[in-house]
Amino acid sequence: MNTYRPNDALELLMRKLQDRDAILVTLVRDAINAGKEDTLPINSRRIHSQAEKPHEYRKIVPFSTEESLQVALDVLQALLIEQPLLVNEIAKNFADTSEIQIERHTETQIVEEDGHDSHEFTLTQIPVEYIEEQRRNLASLKELITFSGE
Amino acid sequence: MATIEDLERAIDQLLDHPLGVEQYQVFQSAGKLYEAYVFGLCLKAVRELEITLTLCGIQGSSTPFVFRGAPGQIHSKTKNYGYAEFSLNGYDCEIHAGIEFKGNSGMTHELDVCIMRAKDAERCRDPLSFDDPPARSLICGWECKFYTRRLPKNLGREFVGLMSDMGGKVRLSGLCSNSDHEQLRKYFSLQSRPYFCKKLTPLEPENEASFIYDIKTELRKLTAT
């Protein structure tokens, strides 16, 4: 049982994200604001002389605060855990090659040379223990934002 | 009983980790990481057929192996764009990422990852006959989308449209994503439509295995006769 409410948890998480990265908080906010699809019943109706038949309709509804917290964690899982896993899978499947690069600036882009950003992103294998630590961190956070049954 | 301070500590631990916010910013600039991952799964599928696979670069050496950051042409030598080649039962094939094909309508389309006939690839790279590969040269093609949220539905319609212009000879095609959408599952469930390779991610090894199995099956069928 937590001493804080779902609203407190969501507000804290969004504030922490906002403090660190404007794009990251936008990604999380967009995922939450997209809402979810729900199937809702309406009162059964008579159609002429036929017996009442149930009818359901689809509606986009907002996530609850608790669901929003889970959605936020899904976004963080994709960015902070899945992406490093992708890097390591790529490195594994390209074991024959000593260097793998992904273009940052494409062949048609005009690039101002400022010496700070290379034109290519070079893949470097990520220590597996780092990824495992983050999986544990995410699992711990997930426990702390789970309010079901309270 | 967890306190708000416990929660704050847990959030900080996740975000301030070496693989936290700072690292994600590095990956975000990579853009095509997910395409490179799906390309890697294709390599794995070919290797599991116990075929010799060779990594190549358009400038000669395969080092560095460069993935395009935007759709490009198979004959472009601006950078050492990489590809892979293999041969199965006399069929010479190549695996590419981010190249444009000429659809049957004449319009060009980018395939994020594809397996194609090597003969057409070589001809299109020949300086005497630079061209975009024709639709008939495509054996397998995939759209690759990494999303942090539920997939937008329009991706399904767009990919179906793209593949319809590639003609009926493509043996295997699919929309690959780490994400999912219930309606896209229904949309792609029709017999004539590409596969929906949902939740294709290292977090779901069974889905990876299924994807690899489908490629192996189609390559075996193609080269069986």
Side-chain angles (χ1 to χ4, degrees), chain A residues 40-103:
Chain A
L40 304 174
I42 59 175
N43 291 332
S44 51
R45 55 198 171 99
R46 261 183 210 288
I47 302 175
H48 303 300
S49 61
Q50 292 174 350
E52 292 184 1
K53 50 198 305 189
H55 180 76
E56 291 180 330
Y57 66 101
R58 193 181 66 88
K59 185 172 163 59
I60 309 291
V61 297
F63 286 113
S64 66
T65 307
E66 291 182 43
E67 287 170 333
S68 298
L69 283 162
Q70 295 299 330
V71 166
L73 255 59
D74 288 343
V75 174
L76 294 176
Q77 177 178 267
L79 294 173
L80 307 185
I81 292 169
E82 253 182 308
Q83 284 196 131
L85 283 172
L86 293 180
V87 169
N88 281 3
E89 278 302 306
I90 295 165
K92 215 191 312 179
N93 289 319
F94 278 84
D96 307 345
T97 310
S98 58
E99 195 176 347
I100 307 160
Q101 292 178 348
I102 300 177
E103 266 188 326

Side-chain angles (χ1 to χ4, degrees), chain A residues 1-4 8-9 12-13 15-17 20-21 23-24 27 30-31 34-37 58 60 71 74-87 89-90 92-107 119-121 123 126-127 129-131 133-135 137-138 140-141 144-145, chain B residues 1-8 10-21 23-34 36-41 43-44 47 53 55 62-73 76-79 81 146-150 153 178 181-183 200-203 208:
Chain A
M1 189 165 153
N2 305 322
T3 61
Y4 47 89
D8 299 325
L12 176 63
L13 178 61
R15 184 162 43 83
K16 289 278 182 183
L17 291 170
R20 283 166 174 78
D21 190 86
I23 295 173
L24 184 53
L27 286 172
D30 284 351
K36 62 176 181 179
E37 289 188 11
R58 193 181 66 88
I60 309 291
V71 166
D74 288 343
V75 174
L76 294 176
Q77 177 178 267
L79 294 173
L80 307 185
I81 292 169
E82 253 182 308
Q83 284 196 131
L85 283 172
L86 293 180
V87 169
E89 278 302 306
I90 295 165
K92 215 191 312 179
N93 289 319
F94 278 84
D96 307 345
T97 310
S98 58
E99 195 176 347
I100 307 160
Q101 292 178 348
I102 300 177
E103 266 188 326
R104 272 202 179 102
H105 301 295
T106 66
E107 53 185 321
H119 293 188
E120 287 81 36
F121 166 77
L123 253 72
I126 291 161
E129 52 270 24
Y130 274 9
I131 300 178
E133 275 173 20
Q134 276 293 62
R135 286 177 98 149
N137 289 339
L138 188 74
S140 302
L141 183 54
L144 290 168
I145 57 136
Chain B
M1 226 162 35
T3 64
I4 198 78
E5 288 77 25
D6 293 330
L7 178 63
E8 189 164 6
I11 295 172
D12 289 340
Q13 205 160 356
L14 182 75
L15 299 183
D16 296 337
H17 188 273
L19 291 187
V21 174
Q23 187 66 62
Y24 122 82
Q25 289 165 343
V26 172
F27 291 148
Q28 284 298 93
S29 71
K32 297 291 186 173
L33 207 56
Y34 192 69
Y37 160 73
V38 173
F39 189 105
L41 291 180
L43 299 184
K44 194 171 178 183
R47 289 194 183 108
L53 184 134
L55 295 177
S62 64
T63 302
F65 191 99
V66 180
F67 281 96
R68 289 175 175 79
Q73 288 160 304
S76 173
K77 284 192 172 184
T78 312
K79 289 176 193 163
Y81 298 119
F146 184 82
Y147 263 74
T148 54
R149 49 183 275 197
R150 198 179 57 199
K153 286 187 287 189
N178 64 316
H181 194 302
E182 194 188 295
Q183 289 202 32
L200 183 62
T201 157
L203 291 173
E208 286 186 320

Side-chain angles (χ1 to χ4, degrees), chain B residues 125-199:
Chain B
R125 283 195 297 266
D126 186 332
L128 295 176
S129 56
F130 277 161
D131 205 353
D132 296 304
R136 66 169 187 275
S137 65
L138 184 65
I139 301 170
C140 308
W142 297 276
E143 178 86 352
C144 305
K145 293 291 179 195
F146 184 82
Y147 263 74
T148 54
R149 49 183 275 197
R150 198 179 57 199
L151 282 176
K153 286 187 287 189
N154 59 288
L155 292 179
R157 291 190 289 268
E158 285 169 16
F159 188 60
V160 166
L162 186 162
M163 290 312 300
S164 77
D165 200 27
M166 298 307 291
K169 291 202 183 323
V170 180
R171 300 186 69 95
L172 181 64
S173 62
L175 173 64
C176 301
S177 178
N178 64 316
S179 187
D180 194 358
H181 194 302
E182 194 188 295
Q183 289 202 32
L184 284 174
R185 292 190 195 198
K186 293 178 188 171
Y187 185 71
F188 282 109
S189 68
L190 296 188
Q191 195 172 6
S192 58
R193 291 201 173 139
Y195 283 98
F196 181 29
C197 310
K198 60 196 176 297
K199 298 268 187 203

